[in-house]
Amino acid sequence: MSFAAVNLQLLDGFKTTCMLFFVTLIAAIPLGLVVAFFSMSKFKPLQLLSRFFVWVIRGTPLMLQVMVVFYGPGLMFGMKSFPREEAVCIAFIINYAVYFSEIYRGGIESIPRGQYEAGQVLGMKKSQVFFKVVLLQVIKRIVPPMSNEIITLVKDTSLARVIAVGELVKAAQDIINTRGLIWPLFYTAVFYLIFCGGLTLIFSRIEKKLDYFRG
Amino acid sequence: MAILEVNGLRKSFGNVEVLKDISFSLEKGKVLSLIGSSGSGKTTLLRCITSLEKADAGTIIVNGETVFDASQKKADSSKERRRKQLAVGLVFQSFNLFPQYTALKNITLAAELAAKDNPQFKFSKKEILRDIEEKGRALLAQVGLSDKADSYPWQLSGGQQQRVSIARALCMDPKILFFDEPTSALDPELTGEILKVIQQLAQKHMTMVIVTHEMSFARQVSDEVIFMDAGVIAAEGRPEEIFDSPENSRLREFLNKFTD
């Protein structure tokens, strides 16, 4: 099997990896904010429910969650199962939204009360205080933990193979099984390294961009 | 006519009554200093009048309008609340400048946001924003920081930050400006510049209420002084009466701590 053919086959898996990565990111970033607001809600039942949910999702393996979403509906409720790709996306979105929500919550709660009070005495609306005063400060504070989490997501996508979704590692494993070649498995690392390297560059750019203020 | 009237204000945190039936009034253009030891309720009183805390009982009237009435059942609409809020300005002990904005933008931000509610804003956006910027620059000049318009808060000294925050409060044209220990977070050598700004405002007949531990300054700048002790007004009067011939024994005790 030629180098080019291996590349083509791995690229096919990498496409699925990328799909899973971007779909998770795009959905979990806003969904995490909703979960964060629920966890900070002054309405106790909602807050407790949200924190319980966070506890369950953070306290169980992502691999288990992927399996539950894929096998659960069919075996537990006799419903039609989700297609593999969809099931894995759902599990990843929920899992990452919960992790993001805790990062957001930490960021929002770390903003001194004086910032809100200053906005209030200047007659700003609550939404103006959040969007014009607090938000950018929160973003600056959460960029480092978010980049950490997002880089973890790149590698977590390999868990999708537990329900036989053809992502990058699965593609390499298929080559082992059909051709008896081991080196493509190691070669997948190059894909991950380049992907994460790119992300690292983007995040350090963002950090630099927000370097003009402190606080 | 009194521009500020506080009647029967009470405030408790849990079981601790911090303000016990506080009443006083202040004439337009006068400067009032609130003195007293920590925990006497000065800052809570200030925070109640500026709506950062909700008092349990009493009324607050600013410029003839009731801005707070504990017996009022229905909460004000958000718009109404913000309008009443703007009757008073507040300068914080810890400045609370917005770190991501320049000194000038710190001053003009709230005015710019408020201008969006003006029905004329769509048609003459440029002019309105230009006017606000001019006002911001004038205020910067007034506090002696014209050259710092484009500096961010972290690039300014504590004294400069506090002067920006005074200009920021002035930009909303408050009827009364409140100061919550404006020099307490500053190095001693920087307090002078803040006191000078306050003095200039007093000369312009800005009505001000100042919570302070700077006794000599309170004496110099105030028209009236209130001494608070354990949640009540223990003594009030002209600065001479308070500082030269204190009749209240707690006040004498308090002032003695400053003469050591």
Side-chain angles (χ1 to χ4, degrees):
Chain A
M1 198 180 181
S2 72
F3 183 66
V6 168
N7 262 317
L8 273 180
Q9 205 163 332
L10 289 184
L11 267 178
D12 207 39
F14 189 60
K15 241 173 38 197
T16 308
T17 295
C18 286
M19 183 277 296
L20 180 55
F21 174 82
F22 285 111
V23 167
T24 303
L25 205 58
I26 289 165
I29 282 178
L31 188 62
L33 198 58
V34 175
V35 178
F37 281 133
F38 285 173
S39 289
M40 291 185 291
S41 169
K42 284 188 186 128
F43 183 57
K44 263 279 165 314
L46 182 63
Q47 192 209 81
L48 287 176
L49 188 74
S50 178
R51 295 200 177 189
F52 176 77
F53 182 66
V54 169
W55 174 64
V56 170
I57 297 297
R58 287 205 305 180
T60 54
L62 176 55
M63 189 191 277
L64 179 63
Q65 292 160 15
V66 170
M67 291 165 81
V68 166
V69 172
F70 182 60
Y71 296 114
L75 294 180
M76 292 192 308
F77 309 109
M79 290 158 49
K80 213 170 131 258
S81 293
F82 294 109
R84 290 169 197 282
E85 269 89 5
E86 271 177 45
V88 82
C89 282
I90 292 169
F92 268 66
I93 288 167
I94 292 173
N95 184 278
Y96 272 83
V98 160
Y99 273 95
F100 290 164
S101 82
E102 285 296 279
I103 294 175
Y104 296 154
R105 190 168 70 84
I108 291 171
E109 286 178 349
S110 74
I111 302 300
R113 229 173 77 188
Q115 292 289 308
Y116 294 93
E117 294 184 344
Q120 186 197 325
V121 294
L122 290 166
M124 292 183 199
K125 295 174 194 165
K126 280 202 169 123
S127 60
Q128 290 172 336
V129 175
F130 184 76
F131 286 108
K132 296 289 179 176
V133 174
V134 176
L135 185 60
L136 195 62
Q137 298 181 54
V138 172
I139 290 174
K140 183 182 168 87
R141 286 174 193 217
I142 66 173
V143 167
M146 282 297 277
S147 43
N148 220 353
E149 208 53 47
I150 289 169
I151 283 171
T152 303
L153 170 61
V154 175
K155 295 163 293 169
D156 272 359
T157 54
S158 60
L159 287 172
R161 82 151 311 309
V162 75
I163 54 166
V165 169
E167 48 69 57
L168 185 52
V169 171
K170 171 118 186 336
Q173 203 175 8
D174 288 347
I175 298 176
I176 296 180
N177 294 342
T178 56
R179 309 274 175 146
L181 288 177
I182 187 71
W183 67 265
L185 188 63
F186 297 111
Y187 183 51
T188 60
V190 175
F191 284 83
Y192 288 112
L193 283 170
I194 290 173
F195 199 166
C196 290
L199 287 172
T200 306
L201 282 180
I202 292 171
F203 287 124
S204 64
R205 267 257 174 102
I206 296 173
E207 274 185 57
K208 272 235 175 70
K209 265 237 155 97
L210 293 172
D211 235 11
Y212 72 92
F213 74 90
R214 296 184 190 166
Chain B
M1 194 196 95
I3 196 166
L4 173 64
E5 282 176 62
V6 174
N7 298 309
L9 215 59
R10 288 177 184 278
K11 175 72 184 171
S12 301
F13 292 112
N15 289 326
V16 186
E17 196 170 26
V18 184
L19 297 178
K20 302 167 183 163
D21 195 14
I22 300 283
S23 301
F24 69 93
S25 65
L26 182 66
E27 299 284 307
K28 191 172 186 289
K30 302 281 185 195
V31 178
L32 167 69
S33 288
L34 286 173
I35 60 170
S37 39
S38 314
S40 60
K42 311 174 303 273
T43 292
T44 304
L45 176 58
L46 213 65
R47 290 175 61 85
C48 282
I49 302 174
T50 52
S51 308
L52 291 178
E53 301 285 352
K54 198 170 166 292
D56 302 324
T59 59
I60 298 163
I61 301 167
V62 176
N63 205 26
E65 186 186 19
T66 305
V67 295
F68 175 79
D69 182 352
S71 64
Q72 181 189 330
K73 293 218 170 57
K74 202 169 119 279
D76 281 333
S77 70
S78 141
K79 199 174 170 188
E80 189 69 4
R81 207 177 55 232
R82 279 181 287 127
R83 192 182 61 76
K84 287 179 177 175
Q85 179 81 59
L86 287 175
V88 297
L90 175 60
V91 173
F92 296 86
Q93 180 177 352
S94 49
F95 329 135
N96 294 341
L97 290 180
F98 308 133
Q100 73 269 44
Y101 295 118
T102 61
L104 180 63
K105 186 78 178 179
N106 259 282
I107 296 169
T108 58
L109 177 69
E112 285 170 12
L113 294 173
K116 285 183 184 165
D117 290 337
N118 180 343
Q120 288 300 310
F121 188 72
K122 263 188 281 178
F123 311 107
S124 42
K125 187 173 166 182
K126 258 199 184 136
E127 290 76 13
I128 289 174
L129 290 180
R130 199 194 51 218
D131 288 350
I132 294 173
E133 188 185 324
E134 266 171 30
K135 186 177 180 185
R137 289 192 187 277
L139 284 165
L140 265 179
Q142 191 182 329
V143 297
L145 291 172
S146 292
D147 53 332
K148 299 292 185 192
D150 298 322
S151 300
Y152 288 92
W154 66 272
Q155 296 167 315
L156 301 172
S157 72
Q160 291 169 333
Q161 289 188 49
Q162 190 59 300
R163 282 187 276 159
V164 171
S165 88
I166 294 172
R168 179 175 72 171
L170 288 171
C171 194
M172 300 311 281
D173 297 319
K175 299 275 185 288
I176 310 168
L177 187 52
F178 292 80
F179 292 83
D180 184 11
E181 305 192 24
T183 59
S184 294
L186 297 175
D187 293 333
E189 72 265 25
L190 296 177
T191 59
E193 55 190 87
I194 302 305
L195 301 182
K196 212 175 96 197
V197 170
I198 297 175
Q199 223 143 23
Q200 283 166 358
L201 288 170
Q203 276 155 19
K204 289 184 175 171
H205 303 294
M206 179 83 208
T207 312
M208 290 184 282
V209 178
I210 307 167
V211 170
T212 185
H213 290 291
E214 303 271 338
M215 291 307 139
S216 56
F217 173 72
R219 176 195 203 117
Q220 239 177 69
V221 77
S222 320
D223 300 294
E224 274 177 62
V225 179
I226 284 179
F227 168 65
M228 288 189 66
D229 184 54
V232 298
I233 295 179
E236 63 180 311
R238 302 193 48 75
E240 309 87 79
E241 297 166 338
I242 294 290
F243 293 110
D244 296 337
S245 47
E247 284 171 11
N248 183 293
S249 63
R250 298 279 298 167
L251 173 58
R252 271 201 304 273
E253 218 174 279
F254 172 73
L255 290 174
N256 276 335
K257 287 187 210 151
F258 288 88
T259 49
D260 294 341

